[in-house]
Structures are given as structure tokens and as C-alpha cells.
Amino acid sequence: MIKREMYMNRIRPFIGTELIKVMTGIRRCGKSVMLELIKQELTESFVNPAQFISINFEDMNYAHLQTAKALHEEIIKRASNINGKVYLFFDEIQEVKDWEKCINSFRVSLDCDIYITGSNARLLSGELATYLGGRYVEFVIYPFSFAEFMELYKTITPDESIQKCFQKYLLSGGMPYLANIRYADEPSKQYLHDLFNSVQLKDIVKRNKIRDVDLLERVIAYVMANVGNTFSAASLAKFLKSEQRTVAPETILNYIKYCCDAYLFYHVKREDLQGKQLLAYNEKYYIADHGIREAVFGGNMKEINLTLENIVYLELLRRGYEVTVGRTGDKEIDFVCHKRDEKLYVQVAYLLASDETIQREFGAYDNIRDNFPKYVISLDEFDMSRNGIKHRNIRDFLLAEEWN
């Protein structure tokens, strides 16, 4: 179990408070491990594990507790035998019908500290916001960063160079369980394929009662193939029409939204940096884990520039940035990143192999006159920084504790 200190640093200030700690993210990204890390931390600060009540709602042993009433009765009964504060850990809480009501009731009626996980972004919309308005904090958990991946991969292959580790990361991605199968190629591929099927079936088809599964599969395949490319629902509808499937752009947008709700894809808006407005067309999507894309769709090395972009985008999210795609005139900037009063710009390229590529990547910043940091990230080993624009090797960028 690696410590995942980046998340623990954010969660730690809320441990022991009455705010409900909610961890969300794609299935199998390590949310259950976060609960274990929190328990470990509590135990180290002398909380008796007898005060913990833990339930994983994907475990069939707890199927009888999947309604608010049954869960409420069970927890109140178990809590009555505990001395002092009760620590509640609920994994995949979305399996419980009307779970918001009983969680809110525990908050009011018990001396407790509550931690919940879920695999759906809509966990915190609608009803929950009404019941728990302002009484929860959310932490999105992502698959392993390159730094986390390396920490584990090095325990299996201690002599591997950083370059070789990165090549492995490009194909395997960051799903934590792969370490248990020692990152072996075929088992890893099969695991990621099965994980993808389970996200598609349980978190998208079943949850949204989708009848046309064939259409959903085609939409997902198209978005996967076009990770990091701008496209519109209308262009996807046109593509499907060429495959003899007539479908309204609204239906396509709904299907993509369901995928984003299940954390399979992330949606990035485009921003006009001169007009300071968000653009409502031709948006971009990235996948939660590029290893899933390789296992299901392939092509990570063939389209390595898009894979690198995907990796950098997820790293920006991990570090707490809000990210848009920027446009100035006819030039596009891959990522415009905001965090409180901080801002930075990032261009991602595979290799700066020609003068034309160098001009295109560095020239993207020509119309931007502010003094915020501007980066060009690529796989090149030599520093080509110029005109105040910083060039970084992608591995160094991902492993740097701070960017400045």
C-alpha cells in the first residue's frame, strides 16, 4: 500500500470533524485504499479500531443493507455498543437506495466521523446537496500518477531506468491493482479490459437504464479514438450516420455525459483567451486512465502525442488545477490551468524534431502577454527553453514536486 500523500495532505485537516468526507473517482482507482490509509492514520493517533464500522456495498454479505432504513437500523444498533466517537466507512455508497437520508441522520444523531466513497460524479448532485448542503467535502481520487506508478514498479524491477519505467507507464497506465499482477503484459491487458466492461455495464448502462448498448459502445469507441482531439456531437452524429446509425446529437451528448459521470472520460471546455469567454463548441475529452485506452482500443504508441497530452491533463487535475483548452486568434494552447490566484499554460508535444514543430509549440504563446509560467513539455532530453518559455522533459515535469 503506497501512502498517496498528495490526497492524505488534503484529507488530513478534515479527519475528526463533523464534515462528511466523500471520495469519488473511477471504479478501482484506489478509493478503498484511501479508507484504509485513513484508518491507519486514526489508529496511529490512538483511536481504537473497535470504534470503526466499515461496510463495502459491493460485498454481497451486505446486500440486505442496501436501503436507507435497513442501513440506519444496523448502524444505530452497532454504534450503541461502541464507547466514544464512532468512525463510519462506507464503500460504494451509491448502491444504497436513498443513502443521503441515513448519512444525514447519522451526522445529526451520532457522535461520529463519516467517510464515504462512490464511483459516480452525480453522487453529490441533487438530493445530497439538499440534505447535506455545505456539510461535506469532496476529494476526487485518480489512478496513479507517474511518480506513484514508479514507486510501486520499482519494487518489482528495482534496476529499471526512469526511461524504461515511463515506457511501461505509457502502455499500462496507473490502475493500482496492476502491481498485484506485477504489470505482466497479458494479465494487465485482460484486467483493464474487464475493468472497462464493468464500468460500462455497472456505472453507465445499469445506472442510466440504457437500452441501446450498441450505440453507447460506438460512442465510447469514437471518444476513445479521439482523446485529446476537438470534436462536436454533430460531427459524431455525422460519423455514426456513415455507419448506418441515425442518432440525434442530444442523445450522443447524454451518453458522453453518463461516461463522464462514471469518471471514464473528463470533459475539457475551450476558452477564448482574448474574449475571456468559454466556447460552446468543439470540446475535448480525455480518458481517466490511458492504460484502459491501450487495453481496449490500442494505439497509445502510434498516437503518442495524444497519450502524452492525456497523461499531463490528468496530472494537472491531480494537483488541483481547473483546466481549459485555450484559444488566441488562430492558435490553440493545450492547457490553461487555474488554481486560486495561480495560473500556468502548458503545451504538450511528442518531440521538437524540426524547426517547424519548435515554432508551432513555442509560437502558440505569441499572443499571450501576461507573466504567468508558460511550458512546452516533450520527450526531448535537451532543454530548448526560449523567450521566457520553459521547456521540460515530460518525465521531469511529472516527477517535479512543484512547478515554477
Side-chain angles (χ1 to χ4, degrees):
M1 224 167 40
I2 69 169
K3 289 289 188 192
R4 307 210 83 178
E5 201 49 41
M6 183 189 286
Y7 302 109
M8 286 307 298
N9 278 336
R10 290 176 199 159
I11 296 166
R12 210 168 269 125
F14 299 99
I15 290 178
T17 68
E18 67 154 33
L19 291 172
I20 294 156
K21 278 65 71 179
V22 184
M23 280 153 271
T24 55
I26 189 169
R27 191 175 280 274
R28 306 281 167 265
C29 69
K31 300 183 296 293
S32 308
V33 170
M34 291 312 303
L35 295 184
E36 291 307 316
L37 290 169
I38 291 162
K39 288 179 197 170
Q40 201 174 304
E41 189 125 333
L42 286 164
T43 308
E44 283 164 11
S45 53
F46 307 108
V47 173
N48 184 345
Q51 293 168 251
F52 301 162
I53 299 176
S54 303
I55 297 177
N56 182 342
F57 290 103
E58 288 203 311
D59 183 338
M60 281 303 289
N61 289 318
Y62 299 111
H64 63 293
L65 299 179
Q66 289 187 358
T67 65
K69 189 171 183 301
L71 179 61
H72 190 266
E73 285 170 4
E74 175 73 10
I75 297 302
I76 295 299
K77 187 172 81 188
R78 284 166 68 171
S80 65
N81 299 320
I82 291 172
N83 293 321
K85 191 188 274 284
V86 180
Y87 294 84
L88 301 174
F89 300 91
F90 298 128
D91 219 342
E92 299 297 356
I93 191 77
Q94 76 273 355
E95 302 297 331
V96 178
K97 190 175 177 344
D98 296 329
W99 62 271
E100 307 93 335
K101 293 175 184 172
C102 67
I103 293 291
N104 192 44
S105 175
F106 299 148
R107 196 188 59 74
V108 173
S109 60
L110 290 174
D111 175 15
C112 64
D113 188 9
I114 305 175
Y115 301 85
I116 62 180
T117 78
S119 302
N120 195 280
R122 279 185 300 175
L123 202 63
L124 295 173
S125 62
E127 291 243 349
L128 177 59
T130 314
Y131 279 102
L132 301 177
R135 297 191 182 92
Y136 62 84
V137 280
E138 184 192 8
F139 307 93
V140 181
I141 310 297
Y142 301 96
F144 283 160
S145 65
F146 178 48
E148 290 175 316
F149 168 86
M150 242 181 50
E151 195 181 323
L152 267 185
Y153 192 56
K154 283 281 201 181
T155 63
I156 296 162
T157 55
D159 301 326
E160 205 75 288
S161 68
I162 290 182
Q163 287 88 334
K164 280 274 168 50
C165 288
F166 190 66
Q167 280 176 0
K168 189 69 179 173
Y169 185 63
L170 279 171
L171 293 171
S172 302
M175 279 300 177
Y177 188 80
L178 296 185
N180 296 18
I181 43 182
R182 301 180 70 78
Y183 294 99
D185 292 345
E186 281 312 309
S188 294
K189 221 169 207 176
Q190 187 182 338
Y191 171 78
L192 291 171
H193 213 292
D194 292 347
L195 167 62
F196 166 75
N197 287 339
S198 142
V199 169
Q200 184 174 274
L201 188 65
K202 290 186 182 172
D203 300 322
I204 302 172
V205 173
K206 204 168 137 198
R207 170 163 280 274
N208 300 289
K209 301 180 173 62
I210 290 175
R211 290 203 184 94
D212 195 341
V213 177
D214 173 66
L215 177 63
L216 174 72
E217 285 173 352
R218 286 170 190 242
V219 168
I220 289 176
Y222 185 92
V223 178
M224 264 197 197
N226 287 282
V227 149
N229 287 325
T230 51
F231 67 87
S232 64
S235 65
L236 176 40
K238 203 169 166 185
F239 166 75
L240 289 169
K241 197 169 182 186
S242 74
E243 295 200 329
Q244 275 66 56
R245 289 299 312 254
T246 303
V247 55
E250 292 71 34
T251 306
I252 289 169
L253 283 174
N254 282 338
Y255 279 17
I256 295 177
K257 187 181 182 308
Y258 299 152
C259 295
C260 292
D261 285 342
Y263 292 101
L264 179 61
F265 297 131
Y266 286 87
H267 170 215
V268 195
K269 291 187 164 66
R270 296 171 79 232
E271 177 184 4
D272 184 335
L273 296 174
Q274 286 159 326
K276 298 281 188 279
Q277 78 222 38
L278 288 172
L279 302 166
Y281 56 90
N282 280 5
E283 292 160 329
K284 283 190 179 187
Y285 293 87
Y286 292 97
I287 191 164
D289 180 70
H290 57 280
I292 293 177
R293 182 182 189 266
E294 174 64 24
V296 174
F297 180 76
N300 275 13
M301 299 311 279
K302 199 168 76 196
E303 297 165 308
I304 189 166
N305 55 322
L306 298 181
T307 309
L308 296 177
E309 237 180 78
N310 205 109
I311 288 170
V312 170
Y313 172 70
L314 263 291
E315 186 63 25
L316 292 164
L317 291 189
R318 256 183 223 104
R319 297 194 188 207
Y321 287 96
E322 282 180 27
V323 184
T324 56
V325 174
R327 196 186 73 180
T328 60
D330 61 346
K331 292 186 164 75
E332 190 155 278
I333 290 160
D334 290 333
F335 303 124
V336 182
C337 320
H338 303 263
K339 181 161 61 171
R340 295 182 289 280
D341 51 357
E342 229 182 285
K343 185 175 185 180
L344 57 96
Y345 302 93
V346 181
Q347 277 289 97
V348 184
Y350 169 37
L351 290 170
L352 302 174
S354 66
D355 289 343
E356 188 191 340
T357 311
I358 291 169
Q359 179 47 43
R360 185 184 68 233
E361 299 302 335
F362 284 88
Y365 295 122
D366 284 352
N367 302 331
I368 297 178
R369 301 277 175 254
D370 64 33
N371 293 317
F372 291 110
K374 299 168 185 68
Y375 286 95
V376 173
I377 311 294
S378 75
L379 266 173
D380 297 276
E381 302 293 341
F382 300 106
D383 187 344
M384 300 189 210
S385 302
R386 62 196 61 202
N387 309 329
I389 299 163
K390 303 169 187 189
H391 172 239
R392 293 284 183 276
N393 172 278
I394 186 166
R395 298 184 303 269
D396 297 341
F397 185 76
L398 295 170
L399 295 174
E401 284 193 20
E402 284 181 18
W403 300 322
N404 47 37

